[in-house]
Amino acid sequence: MRLLKRGVVLAMLAAGLLTGLQAQAYERDKTYKITILHTNDHHGHFWRSEYGEYGLAAQKTLVDGIRKEVAAEGGSVLLLSGGDINTGVPESDLQDAEPDFKGMNLIGYDAMAVGNHEFDNPLSVLRQQEKWAKFPFISANIYQKSTGQRLFKPWALFNRQGLKIAVIGLTTDDTAKIGNPENFTDIEFHKPAEEAKLVIQELQQTQKPDIILAATHMGHYDNGDHGSNAPGDVEMARSLPAGSLAMIVGGHSQDPVCMASENKKQVDYVPGTPCAPDRQNGIWIVQAHEWGKYVGRADFEFRNGEMKLVHYQLIPVNLKKKVTYDNGQSERVLYTPQIPENPQMLSLLTPFQNKGKAQLDVKIGEVNGHLEGDRSKVRFVQTNMGHLLLAAQMARTSADFAVMSGGGIRDSIEAGKITYKDVLKVQPFGNIVVYADMTGKEATDYLTAVAQMKPDSGAYPQFANVSFVAKNGQLTDLKIKGEPVDPAKNYRMATLSFNATGGDGYPKIDSKPGYVNTGFIDAEVLKQYIEQNSPLDVNAYEPKGEVSWQ
């Protein structure tokens, strides 16, 4: 009986899908022009950089110009974000990204995928941000555990020239692992690719869109090689029915997705040069790096149910390169012509910028060299910035050693004056410094587990007062403070609440008897350490090969 019923359901579903395909609203033999604009991983960069790059004021000028151009040709524009509006610039962080969302309203964003960093704050803050935004936050695969209901709209629908366009939102299922576990007690993330199949089917049955797109925050990994990260856009595209999505507007890995060859991105994409997006299983995949450095532009022609990509480009937003002359002088020069800033946007954002700046531009110390906190370093190798942060945590907790995931380090500090703003850019998440007292055996087990975290991920660990050689999942010559670990001796480890509660997949230690939450915010601990130890000598924090992997 069950088999018969299932057969009837499948037959009805097939009939429904056929009916859906036959009921499209577009005119036969008419060519529609649709331009998809996209950005991702904004991370609080509502204002131009110190070198006059990017910022929402220039972005508005650029988008307004494209809208006017497309409209003159009889086309329509859809502007999408791949998410992660939150976290990265103190002026924004201190104001819960209010200037960012209000600036995006003024530009005219149509929809935004929910990114993992939207959960850096409690859900109440995210709901407030939804109220500020005049565009929907979409994600089909985020559910409330207690009710089994989705936390956000799974899709948004748009009418352009009589065409019905559906945009599905999806969020990396790594979010609960790489975010603050305290914010996910009643939230769960379903597998995006599996959810996408269900949602596409549901859309075709109920909404019958002419075009289906996805705005995702999942990452682009060449040839689907995602390492210790959750699967991203490439893997999902390959798992879906061929061509079931016209395009995936992505984010999360913060790359310019410009392909050098099949399944291989350009390593050092030069702003303003041609960009070929990825295509997998008949689905275009795009991503516009980060911070509003680019606006991606995909010009499509839709005719008789087919979407054809006519032209694609990443448009730099006042990006500059450093040029050094024979006399040793250097300056920053634009890659492409200057985009003027929109006066209306400047009027909106200036009060927010001034309010944040007043709180942040206070000198707290100085340093005699570069402290390395760049994403391309702290997720791959030990750095002096990692050592500095961990030194501050050990000083506050009287710990013997310290560990944290490299993904928690978000910026470098240059030689010279250090301000409170510099500190908050390095540690923007507001994690709590914690410590745990453990035996040498427990410390060995913990360090062995953490040492398995792979490079090229936020989980890659930074260590202080620890040395070892890792091979085949085991540690040899393990020492703490230069002495071999005694299994019976007690040691104190400092870390952040994020890692202690299982963030980035680290072993949970928050329920152990020797665990203490100090209540001190990581950035405040770093700030005080700099104040007490300034001027800092970068050489004192330089890694000397203490830890190695074979």
Side-chain angles (χ1 to χ4, degrees):
M1 187 64 180
R2 284 183 180 175
L3 288 174
L4 281 173
K5 283 186 176 180
R6 179 175 170 80
V8 171
V9 169
L10 289 173
M12 291 174 65
L13 179 58
L17 290 178
L18 276 174
T19 303
L21 292 172
Q22 293 165 355
Q24 307 299 340
Y26 61 82
E27 293 181 34
R28 297 291 301 176
D29 300 327
K30 176 180 176 180
T31 300
Y32 298 81
K33 294 183 177 181
I34 304 291
T35 294
I36 310 298
L37 302 180
H38 64 96
T39 62
N40 58 275
D41 294 274
H42 171 79
H43 287 299
H45 291 80
F46 69 86
W47 199 252
R48 75 184 86 89
S49 76
E50 60 185 305
Y51 302 115
E53 299 174 297
Y54 42 90
L56 294 183
Q59 187 185 123
K60 177 167 173 55
T61 300
L62 174 59
V63 171
D64 284 354
I66 295 171
R67 287 188 197 277
K68 186 175 180 180
E69 174 195 332
V70 171
E73 296 176 355
S76 299
V77 169
L78 202 63
L79 174 56
L80 304 174
S81 167
D84 266 11
I85 307 307
N86 286 283
T87 308
V89 176
E91 288 90 340
S92 171
D93 298 343
L94 286 170
Q95 299 172 85
D96 289 334
E98 181 180 359
D100 308 86
F101 287 107
K102 291 186 173 178
M104 291 171 74
N105 289 340
L106 191 56
I107 292 172
Y109 275 78
D110 290 298
M112 179 194 100
V114 176
N116 58 288
H117 283 288
E118 267 62 83
F119 292 94
D120 289 344
N121 303 303
L123 189 59
S124 59
V125 174
L126 183 49
R127 293 306 190 200
Q128 175 59 59
Q129 292 173 336
E130 283 188 285
K131 292 177 182 177
W132 286 329
K134 294 179 180 177
F135 50 89
F137 292 13
I138 53 175
S139 183
N141 66 307
I142 305 177
Y143 285 78
Q144 187 171 22
K145 292 178 188 176
S146 56
T147 65
Q149 301 296 309
R150 288 188 175 113
L151 277 184
F152 303 93
K153 294 177 182 178
W155 63 67
L157 296 173
F158 303 95
N159 187 307
R160 294 292 189 270
Q161 307 169 66
L163 287 179
K164 196 171 188 179
I165 303 174
V167 182
I168 301 169
L170 294 163
T171 307
T172 176
D173 50 326
D174 260 351
T175 299
K177 182 178 81 172
I178 62 180
N180 187 338
E182 296 169 7
N183 292 337
F184 300 113
T185 54
D186 194 32
I187 300 174
E188 62 184 359
F189 295 79
H190 292 192
K191 298 292 183 186
E194 294 175 10
E195 203 77 7
K197 291 175 188 175
L198 297 173
V199 171
I200 290 169
Q201 193 176 69
E202 186 180 350
L203 278 168
Q204 290 172 333
Q205 286 181 266
T206 63
Q207 304 298 329
K208 301 176 175 58
D210 300 297
I211 301 164
I212 305 178
L213 310 168
T216 72
H217 195 83
M218 297 165 55
H220 180 279
Y221 307 108
D222 287 0
N223 201 29
D225 294 332
H226 58 87
S228 60
N229 302 295
D233 294 329
V234 171
E235 302 89 305
M236 181 175 75
R238 291 174 175 176
S239 74
L240 295 174
S244 55
L245 298 173
M247 172 177 274
I248 297 172
V249 170
H252 187 50
S253 52
Q254 299 179 223
D255 297 309
V257 174
C258 301
M259 307 307 289
S261 58
E262 186 176 1
N263 291 318
K264 188 173 180 61
K265 285 191 294 291
Q266 293 186 40
V267 177
D268 294 304
Y269 174 71
V270 178
T273 59
C275 175
D278 199 1
R279 197 176 197 200
Q280 299 284 340
N281 198 21
I283 300 171
W284 293 105
I285 303 175
V286 297
Q287 192 178 150
H289 201 185
E290 62 186 5
W291 303 359
K293 292 177 179 178
Y294 300 91
V295 171
R297 175 177 178 173
D299 295 306
F300 285 96
E301 287 183 353
F302 178 91
R303 183 179 176 87
N304 294 335
E306 298 292 327
M307 278 279 274
K308 177 185 176 184
L309 182 60
V310 178
H311 182 68
Y312 181 76
Q313 64 184 129
L314 282 183
I315 306 171
V317 183
N318 294 336
L319 296 184
K320 298 177 180 179
K321 58 184 173 183
K322 187 176 181 180
V323 177
T324 302
Y325 300 107
D326 292 340
N327 62 4
Q329 298 295 311
S330 64
E331 65 173 331
R332 293 183 184 266
V333 179
L334 286 160
Y335 282 99
T336 51
Q338 177 83 29
I339 300 170
E341 294 187 304
N342 176 272
Q344 187 183 3
M345 184 68 81
L346 286 175
S347 179
L348 170 70
L349 297 180
T350 297
F352 289 108
Q353 176 69 5
N354 290 343
K355 181 181 177 182
K357 193 175 176 63
Q359 300 176 56
L360 296 167
D361 281 345
V362 177
K363 179 180 176 180
I364 60 170
E366 56 187 74
V367 62
N368 65 354
H370 176 81
L371 289 165
E372 184 60 78
D374 189 82
R375 179 188 182 97
S376 65
K377 298 294 184 183
V378 294
R379 295 171 180 237
F380 294 85
V381 296
Q382 304 296 295
T383 75
N384 56 8
M385 180 67 85
H387 277 195
L388 171 64
L389 270 56
L390 295 173
Q393 295 168 28
M394 290 189 296
R396 181 61 68 94
T397 60
S398 300
D400 300 300
F401 68 104
V403 184
M404 68 176 286
S405 49
I409 303 172
R410 305 302 284 197
D411 208 351
S412 300
I413 293 178
E414 301 303 330
K417 181 179 78 169
I418 303 174
T419 65
Y420 186 30
K421 177 178 179 177
D422 294 326
V423 167
L424 288 172
K425 285 171 71 176
V426 173
Q427 291 190 297
F429 301 121
N431 285 302
I432 308 298
V433 174
V434 303
Y435 67 83
D437 292 328
M438 56 182 74
T439 65
K441 182 183 184 307
E442 290 172 327
T444 299
D445 291 344
Y446 183 89
L447 292 168
T448 300
V450 169
Q452 311 313 310
M453 303 300 172
K454 295 180 179 178
D456 196 14
S457 74
Y460 174 79
Q462 296 284 328
F463 297 97
N465 279 1
V466 173
S467 61
F468 60 74
V469 176
K471 185 176 182 180
N472 298 325
Q474 298 298 317
L475 305 186
T476 58
D477 200 24
L478 176 61
K479 296 179 180 178
I480 292 176
K481 297 175 73 172
E483 297 291 332
V485 176
D486 181 346
K489 184 179 175 181
N490 286 325
Y491 297 88
R492 176 170 292 181
M493 179 187 76
T495 188
L496 298 178
S497 55
F498 168 78
N499 293 125
T501 53
D504 273 340
Y506 279 45
K508 283 174 61 67
I509 58 171
D510 57 321
S511 59
K512 292 188 177 298
Y515 176 81
V516 174
N517 182 323
T518 69
F520 299 127
I521 302 293
D522 52 5
E524 292 296 327
V525 169
L526 178 58
K527 174 176 177 281
Q528 186 180 75
Y529 182 86
I530 292 172
E531 288 171 336
Q532 293 175 345
N533 293 275
S534 184
L536 298 178
D537 178 7
V538 292
N539 296 314
Y541 304 96
E542 202 63 41
K544 298 177 176 64
E546 294 93 340
V547 298
S548 64
W549 287 262
Q550 294 182 354

